[in-house]
Amino acid sequence: MPIFYEFYRESSIGAALTDSLDELITNGSITPQLAMKVLLQFDKSIAETLAKQVKNKTTVKGHLHNYRLCEDVWTFDVHNAAFKMDGNEVVTAPKVRIVSCKNTESTESK
């Protein structure tokens, strides 16, 4: 069974979901257990959707300020980053954190 990481919860949509769930728990509309199930489904759904539907390739140039590997998770902090997309569009940012995780899907033969 694959493991799904929780870092998408820190995205704007993940933060909005978490805030909404906290409000529903506070109002007594849902239980904390149900909120946890919703968050676990969010982790799974967003990871699967991004893996299946995002096919664009991007190159990144910038100053690698810091990098680390911890428990099969790479983290790169890039300053003055420039992302070049497939369509030659360039997007820049003063600071970017890139997180890359090991694929946890089973590769067993059936």
Side-chain angles (χ1 to χ4, degrees):
M1 178 172 211
I3 297 170
F4 297 99
Y5 296 97
E6 297 178 5
F7 55 75
Y8 294 113
R9 294 180 191 184
E10 294 179 26
S11 67
S12 51
I13 192 170
L17 174 62
T18 302
D19 290 346
S20 297
L21 291 171
D22 286 344
E23 187 175 324
L24 290 169
I25 291 169
T26 302
N27 293 340
S29 299
I30 65 171
T31 65
Q33 294 81 7
L34 178 57
M36 205 54 207
K37 286 183 181 182
V38 170
L39 286 173
L40 291 172
Q41 183 61 49
F42 171 77
D43 297 336
K44 178 182 178 186
S45 296
I46 197 160
E48 288 175 349
T49 300
L50 290 172
K52 290 177 185 173
Q53 294 185 8
V54 177
K55 301 298 179 192
N56 292 7
K57 298 206 187 275
T58 303
T59 58
V60 181
K61 289 186 180 181
H63 175 72
L64 182 59
H65 182 71
N66 189 24
Y67 66 94
R68 65 186 152 276
L69 173 66
C70 181
E71 297 180 8
D72 291 326
V73 178
W74 279 100
T75 304
F76 302 92
D77 293 324
V78 182
H79 290 190
N80 300 318
F83 294 85
K84 186 174 182 182
M85 314 297 179
D86 277 342
N88 293 325
E89 177 185 359
V90 177
V91 176
T92 60
K95 292 183 182 179
V96 174
R97 173 165 287 162
I98 300 170
V99 180
S100 176
C101 303
K102 181 178 179 180
N103 184 353
T104 59
E105 275 199 42
S106 176
T107 56
E108 295 176 12
S109 301
K110 291 185 178 185

